[in-house]
Amino acid sequence: MGRRLAGTGGPACRAALTLLLLCLLAACGADKPAAPAFNDTDVMFLQMGLEQIGEGDRVAEIAEGRAVDPEIRAVVTELRGQWRTERDTMRGWLQQWQRPLEADPSAGLHAGHGELHSLREEDYTGLGAMAGADFDRATVALLLGNLHNAMETIRMEATGGAYPQAVDLAKRMTEARQGQIQRLLALAAG
């Protein structure tokens, strides 16, 4: 009854088993690296960004094939490429965070970001009915309005976002959009 298995009772073996047990317990209790936290500003930035990208892309899609000025076509092609990448990234984060892709339409939730106005269906149909220089002027005006709204949303993220990758995306978007806005303003000045 008092028999031991050979090699299981010595002090060195007990110390090794104790050390192994402590290591296993430490591994079980070890914290996994925490994913960077996000906040409501990050979520709103992504939701509003997706909406603004969708609106701008509708204008750009129309303009890509119909703008007379090749510089307008160049800007809209550049925007559409960037928007595709940004849209995929934004959707991915919202899905990862299990947040809706669209913002809650409750008016009170949007009080912090100013009076940003969405494009209306009439804007698209009106643009579609134009041609030539009138079409180009209207395209530039609609894109400038859209990019202005986007810049307000981007600034909101840059100053109040918590998710480092989203803040970095906002910074990259700022740099790209500033150049595109300058090009469009030069076109508007004619």
Side-chain angles (χ1 to χ4, degrees), residues 1 6 38 40 44 46 51 59 61 67 73 82 86 91 93 97 101 103 105 107 116 118 125 134 136 147 174 177 182:
M1 218 165 121
F38 64 91
D40 289 342
M44 185 67 70
L46 299 176
E51 183 177 335
V59 173
E61 182 180 23
R73 289 194 307 273
Q82 290 171 353
E86 293 162 359
R91 282 183 178 152
W93 287 334
W97 302 339
L101 297 179
L116 303 183
S118 298
T125 56
D134 290 337
D136 283 4
L147 292 176
T174 296
R177 297 305 179 270
Q182 291 304 314

Side-chain angles (χ1 to χ4, degrees), residues 14 17 24 39-40 64 75 86 95 130 142 168 173 188:
R14 281 193 299 268
L17 287 172
L24 289 172
N39 63 17
D40 289 342
E64 205 168 34
V75 171
E86 293 162 359
Q95 290 167 344
M130 294 181 181
L142 289 173
D168 183 59
M173 290 170 75

